[in-house]
Amino acid sequence: MQDLKKRLEEMQECLRLSSTDVRDRQSLLGLDADSLTCLTAHAELIDGLHVGLVDAWYEHLLTFPDPARLLGDEGKLRRVSDMQLRYYRQMVSGPYDMQYARLRLLVGLSHESLGVEQKWSTAAYHFYLDYMHRSLQRVLPDQPEQVDSLFRALMRVVFFDMTLTVDTYFTAKRLELEHTRGRYARALLGSNDGIWEWEVDADRLEVSPRWLAILGLDADSAPTTMTQWIERMPIEQRSGFKAAFNAHLQGYRPQMSIECQVRNALGQPIWVLVRGVLSANSAGDRVLAGSLSDINLRKTAEQELAHVTLHDPLTGLPNRQSVNRLILQALQRQSKPGARHAAVLFIDVDRFKLINDSLGHQIGDKVLIEVGARIQRCLRPGDHLCRFGGDEFVVLLDDLAQADDAQSVARRIMEGLMHPMIVAGHRLSVTASIGIAPLHGSNEAQDALREADLALYRAKAFGKSQMALYNDDLQIAVNQQLRLENALSEALEKRQFELYYQPIVQVEEGNARVIGVEALLRWWQDGSLISPDAFIPILEETGRIVEVGDWVLRQACLQVLAWHEQGFAGLRCSVNLSSRQLHNTGFARSVASVLEDTGFPPGSLVLEITESLLMQDGPETLATLRELESLGIRIALDDFGTGFSSLGYLHRYPLHIIKVDKSFITKAPDDERLRAISRAIIGLGRGLSMDVIAEGIETSAQMDFLRDEGCRYVQGYWFSRPLSASSLSPVLESLSGRCITDGAGRPVMLS
Ligand code: C2E
Ligand code: MG
Ligand code: MG
């Protein structure tokens, strides 16, 4: 009810219905006092005719299916007939004031909401006039003038009433349309989208103000044809846009939807989402209408994000993630007939860590930027350069005339890098190693990269500034290495390791005395004995050297302890250490616990470290070595002379023994320079109160040289090869504290 009242007021306002208007409507129809008097005078007659009229009307109306369905049963028909009767009575009795007009609007409204169509009510007025005219003529056959004036008065009230009813219908429709439009406008305002409508066949385009506002255009520059819209788009996007339209127009897509760019007033491309649906207008023409949403912010953010995820922030080059995509694209091109050659170059800056460590990361970064720029200068526009990570770059060479061209480019890159770089006042010479892998259509992206990486690995093995080409042998070698790694990972568990021992002998005036043994690791694999040089580097790489080293230490201590108990008291036990062990936090504590567990005297333990280990490290190594020293353990510097150690190490670190590498002593008897060096090392050790052990002694000439130089400690095949614990026991027996000389007074080789 409330709703009806509200609608009535709304309608009244929309119709501008006022007392004046009501009076005007009467005057227009000539509904004057005479007409009213005439009607009042014949009110009874008219009322009587109304009864037959209403019956006749409903009888007529019920012959139509819709009204028949609506009026339904007898009771309803009676009620409606009564109402109709009252309606006509009021229509001819008035008074025709505001109240009357409002009541008519109300009736019209309820008819409209009941679904009584306008054609029925108009027909009812016609039926009324027709029936009344004929009835008046019938009841007043002798008074044609009276009939005439009465009928004219009836016609005026009917028209007065009818215009109000027609207005009600019309206004109701208008209000409904306005409500719909209002809702639509509000929705549009809320969605912030532009609207467009395109008459397809006439190529007539209309766009809303918001459409224009999104692109910063004024009404004068609004496109009026689809052609003009498309002209506002970047050329490369036009075909996609047209294809999206056509797919919908031809029925392949239920809706047209595309993200594209349209140039704004300043000519800048703006990302928009264009959506539309085809329908027909009232004239049956094809009309495609839809929206235009501003997605520029989202799209720009997406693009920035994509750029960040696919590019390296330092050099701005495509990053590791991009490499796969680029190689995949190149592989697709490769698989097409007539494709030219392509290759992947894996580039690694030589000793970049040294630059970073010595000059700092900031300079390191600048060097990488410069390296990237220099490589880029060696490439053609279709090639791609990516920063793979750290100091590694990947180049994808496409469209090569010959496979060999990849090597030429690699050479050019190496030369390009070779010129000294001036970075933050430092003059640096940077070199790179390059692995080259040709790209085949049958490759996967990962294969090409792996192959180039393998080739790089090979190049690095040759030294600095080298390049290598991938071949299948490399893969075989890697597979072998992998198999070795796998087998090695189980070796400890399968008890395939064994310790061999080599005596360290003190020689004084022809007396040889075993003062210690060096434990040397062996690996039994498939019945053959593998030397540590072949597997220690792998253990170091995989980090397993830590647990294996722990086993070695424990095992060696137990064995030497057994020899102590067999009468070789004080026999020293030398154990080799790898840098990975020493870097392991708590290493000194783990050594201490082995000593504690086994009861091995710390004073009899020697740990051998190499020069390279000292070179790599700083304060932590020093602290660990000091801790070991404080336990009473001695530290030996192994293979002395083979590294690049500075003599400064000798007094900086707690070192007790120098082991002169066999490469010096072996050739010393015949080589003047090596003799001089060996002599200097022996003198150096003596000067620093360190024991000097000569390694790798095999001949009597070497023994003579050592005796002459006053080197008292010797290790080598001359006395004994490394042997298993059980084989070494008799050797210990025979060597221990005895004078073993040959006929010329020289010690005798036993093994
Ligand atoms: P190293 O510590 O310098 O050991 C001496 C090497 O020289 C041993 O080789 C030994 O057999 C060899 N040698 C001894 N006397 C002679 C000789 O008269 N002539 C020649 N030509 N060679 C001689 P091996 O046993 O093959 O060990 C090689 C290296 O492997 C060792 O060099 C050591 O650096 C490493 N290594 C061995 N065992 C272990 C271990 O348990 N842990 C670690 N981290 N490294 C080990
Ligand atoms: Mg050693
Ligand atoms: Mg050595």
Side-chain angles (χ1 to χ4, degrees):
M1 192 63 199
Q2 189 64 28
D3 191 38
L4 207 60
K5 196 173 163 212
K6 220 171 108 191
R7 285 188 70 194
L8 181 66
E9 273 159 17
E10 205 177 15
M11 188 169 285
Q12 192 179 331
E13 199 180 307
C14 181
L15 273 172
R16 297 179 204 280
L17 195 67
S18 62
S19 310
T20 322
D21 180 56
V22 173
R23 270 197 305 279
D24 285 352
R25 283 169 184 255
Q26 288 176 41
S27 312
L28 269 169
L29 291 167
L31 187 57
D32 51 12
D34 288 349
S35 308
L36 298 181
T37 316
C38 180
L39 287 173
T40 318
H42 296 89
E44 211 169 319
L45 169 71
I46 296 169
D47 216 21
L49 292 176
H50 278 169
V51 179
L53 164 77
V54 170
D55 286 347
W57 165 243
Y58 280 106
E59 196 179 327
H60 173 65
L61 200 59
L62 287 175
T63 60
F64 296 90
D66 283 351
R69 190 168 22 83
L70 211 66
L71 292 168
D73 59 289
E74 190 65 25
K76 192 167 185 184
L77 185 64
R78 186 87 332 256
R79 277 197 306 281
V80 175
S81 302
D82 290 348
M83 267 164 59
Q84 188 82 0
L85 212 52
R86 282 200 297 280
Y87 184 92
Y88 287 146
R89 192 173 296 144
Q90 196 183 16
M91 183 173 79
V92 292
S93 58
Y96 307 104
D97 53 8
M98 251 319 263
Q99 183 60 20
Y100 179 93
R102 279 169 62 90
L103 266 172
R104 271 349 187 203
L105 292 187
L106 202 59
V107 173
L109 263 181
S110 45
H111 276 182
E112 192 256 355
S113 57
L114 282 173
V116 180
E117 290 179 40
Q118 199 190 344
K119 62 184 179 198
W120 302 348
S121 76
T122 317
Y125 286 114
H126 173 261
F127 194 92
Y128 180 93
L129 288 172
D130 187 46
Y131 183 93
M132 292 303 275
H133 191 230
R134 280 185 286 112
S135 302
L136 287 174
Q137 282 174 330
R138 185 171 41 83
V139 295
L140 300 170
D142 312 326
Q143 300 170 47
E145 279 175 25
Q146 195 62 36
V147 169
D148 185 49
S149 57
L150 200 51
F151 182 68
R152 282 173 52 195
L154 277 177
M155 210 150 65
R156 285 178 185 128
V157 294
V158 163
F159 269 80
F160 178 71
D161 201 88
M162 195 168 71
T163 48
L164 285 170
T165 310
V166 170
D167 279 353
T168 314
Y169 273 97
F170 176 74
T171 315
K173 287 270 174 294
R174 203 174 111 189
L175 283 173
E176 190 184 285
L177 199 66
E178 273 175 15
H179 282 144
T180 313
R181 271 203 194 136
R183 269 201 304 275
Y184 190 49
R186 280 193 298 278
L188 276 184
L189 205 67
S191 78
N192 218 11
D193 288 344
I195 294 295
W196 55 273
E197 189 178 272
W198 178 42
E199 285 177 42
V200 182
D201 302 303
D203 190 14
R204 223 182 345 256
L205 178 72
E206 261 191 69
V207 297
S208 71
R210 177 69 195 138
W211 192 105
L212 293 170
I214 288 173
L215 299 173
L217 299 172
D218 53 28
D220 293 340
S221 34
T224 54
T225 62
M226 187 49 79
T227 318
Q228 287 178 5
W229 175 339
I230 292 173
E231 277 166 3
R232 293 209 75 89
M233 298 178 66
I235 292 168
E236 67 278 8
Q237 300 215 351
R238 294 180 187 174
S239 58
F241 186 69
K242 286 183 208 163
F245 268 91
N246 286 334
H248 177 54
L249 287 175
Q250 288 161 15
Y252 299 120
R253 290 272 157 79
Q255 202 197 30
M256 112 114 210
S257 172
I258 186 170
E259 291 185 352
C260 57
Q261 285 175 303
V262 183
R263 292 195 189 282
N264 68 7
L266 302 171
Q268 298 156 332
I270 301 288
W271 277 103
V272 289
L273 167 66
V274 179
R275 279 202 272 219
V277 175
L278 183 69
S279 58
N281 67 8
S282 51
D285 300 324
R286 294 189 302 162
V287 175
L288 193 53
S291 60
L292 177 110
S293 323
D294 183 351
I295 54 165
N296 203 40
L297 264 180
R298 175 191 33 106
K299 224 38 201 174
T300 322
E302 267 174 22
Q303 280 175 338
E304 272 168 20
L305 198 70
H307 187 87
V308 168
T309 34
L310 292 176
H311 288 78
D312 159 48
L314 178 69
T315 56
L317 293 170
N319 63 11
R320 197 186 187 121
Q321 269 89 324
S322 308
V323 173
N324 269 350
R325 189 174 46 88
L326 290 168
I327 295 182
L328 267 178
Q329 288 166 359
L331 282 173
Q332 274 162 8
R333 284 192 291 276
Q334 276 289 296
S335 57
K336 297 208 174 111
R340 306 226 289 173
H341 298 273
V344 175
L345 308 187
F346 217 120
I347 306 172
D348 184 286
V349 179
D350 295 321
R351 299 181 127 192
F352 179 71
K353 191 175 179 310
L354 204 68
I355 297 177
N356 247 354
D357 290 351
S358 53
L359 302 174
H361 287 263
Q362 269 180 348
I363 292 191
D365 283 354
K366 288 195 173 117
V367 169
L368 287 175
I369 293 171
E370 177 61 19
V371 167
R374 286 193 184 191
I375 298 176
Q376 190 84 68
R377 282 201 286 275
C378 302
L379 305 178
R380 293 187 309 181
D383 301 333
H384 295 281
L385 167 64
C386 308
R387 181 169 174 218
F388 198 69
D391 58 348
E392 291 173 332
F393 293 84
V394 168
V395 167
L396 176 66
L397 299 173
D398 216 348
D399 202 27
L400 299 170
Q402 291 164 17
D404 288 358
D405 291 350
Q407 278 132 284
S408 314
V409 178
R411 215 166 287 124
R412 204 157 64 221
I413 292 173
M414 283 162 72
E415 282 162 12
L417 289 175
M418 236 167 239
H419 300 289
M421 274 179 204
I422 311 289
V423 179
H426 298 273
R427 189 182 161 88
L428 301 169
S429 61
V430 173
T431 59
S433 304
I434 303 181
I436 307 165
L439 214 62
H440 311 286
S442 56
N443 271 154
E444 304 245 326
Q446 283 307 321
D447 291 342
L449 265 183
R450 187 176 37 77
E451 289 174 3
D453 194 16
L454 268 179
L456 172 67
Y457 186 70
R458 164 54 57 93
K460 288 239 153 199
F462 293 147
K464 280 197 323 170
S465 195
Q466 297 288 331
M467 64 184 207
L469 191 65
Y470 171 81
N471 61 39
D472 290 340
D473 291 348
L474 274 180
Q475 187 63 55
I476 294 167
V478 167
N479 290 349
Q480 238 165 3
Q481 171 93 355
L482 263 180
R483 271 199 298 278
L484 204 66
E485 268 178 33
N486 281 340
L488 202 51
S489 67
E490 299 171 339
L492 196 61
E493 207 176 290
K494 291 190 171 168
R495 298 166 175 258
Q496 291 169 340
F497 287 126
E498 186 181 352
L499 284 184
Y500 270 37
Y501 298 90
Q502 187 178 33
I504 298 169
V505 182
Q506 183 183 26
V507 183
E508 241 163 358
E509 293 161 8
N511 277 325
R513 190 166 70 90
V514 180
I515 54 143
V517 289
E518 178 175 4
L520 295 159
L521 189 56
R522 298 291 180 265
W523 177 27
W524 287 100
Q525 212 219 356
D526 297 332
S528 50
L529 199 63
I530 301 186
S531 107
D533 289 331
F535 66 85
I536 294 269
I538 301 175
L539 286 178
E540 282 176 339
E541 232 169 77
T542 58
R544 283 184 177 268
I545 190 70
V546 176
E547 54 175 329
V548 174
D550 192 69
W551 177 86
V552 169
L553 181 64
R554 201 170 284 268
Q555 195 62 24
C557 286
L558 287 172
Q559 179 56 54
V560 177
L561 205 59
W563 280 321
H564 284 183
E565 283 158 12
Q566 284 167 29
F568 302 104
L571 191 69
R572 286 187 205 163
C573 171
S574 287
V575 173
N576 292 285
L577 290 188
S578 120
S579 60
R580 283 292 278 263
Q581 285 171 276
L582 208 66
H583 294 161
N584 219 27
T585 38
F587 175 69
R589 271 198 308 284
S590 77
V591 174
S593 75
V594 170
L595 294 176
E596 211 176 284
D597 294 348
T598 56
F600 193 83
S604 296
L605 182 62
V606 178
L607 295 178
E608 298 193 2
I609 58 171
T610 57
E611 285 174 293
S612 54
L613 186 148
L614 293 185
M615 271 173 72
Q616 286 166 17
D617 250 83
E620 295 87 10
T621 310
L622 183 60
T624 308
L625 291 179
R626 288 230 169 100
E627 212 177 329
L628 291 169
E629 184 188 39
S630 70
L631 293 172
I633 296 167
R634 263 178 280 210
I635 312 290
L637 190 56
D638 207 353
D639 305 338
F640 186 79
T642 53
F644 301 93
S645 66
S646 96
L647 293 180
Y649 291 130
L650 293 180
H651 79 93
R652 229 176 97 205
Y653 290 96
L655 302 169
H656 311 92
I657 299 161
I658 291 178
K659 294 186 82 172
V660 187
D661 190 70
K662 54 181 170 285
S663 56
F664 293 101
I665 313 289
T666 316
K667 294 190 191 134
D670 313 313
D671 186 317
E672 181 65 40
R673 280 167 57 86
L674 285 177
R675 217 170 25 245
I677 295 173
S678 306
R679 193 173 292 138
I681 296 174
I682 295 166
L684 184 78
R686 203 181 299 126
L688 290 167
S689 308
M690 294 163 85
D691 290 343
V692 178
I693 302 176
E695 289 187 288
I697 304 309
E698 294 181 4
T699 65
S700 54
Q702 292 161 359
M703 282 301 290
D704 288 343
F705 168 73
L706 293 175
R707 190 194 48 227
D708 294 346
E709 294 308 323
C711 176
R712 295 185 298 143
Y713 301 102
V714 183
Q715 181 181 350
Y717 295 171
W718 174 256
F719 289 105
S720 168
R721 286 177 175 267
L723 296 168
S724 66
S726 54
S727 310
L728 191 74
S729 289
V731 178
L732 290 180
E733 292 282 355
S734 58
L735 273 175
S736 193
R738 301 211 196 126
C739 174
I740 33 156
T741 49
D742 60 11
R746 290 188 292 236
V748 175
M749 190 158 90
L750 294 165
S751 53

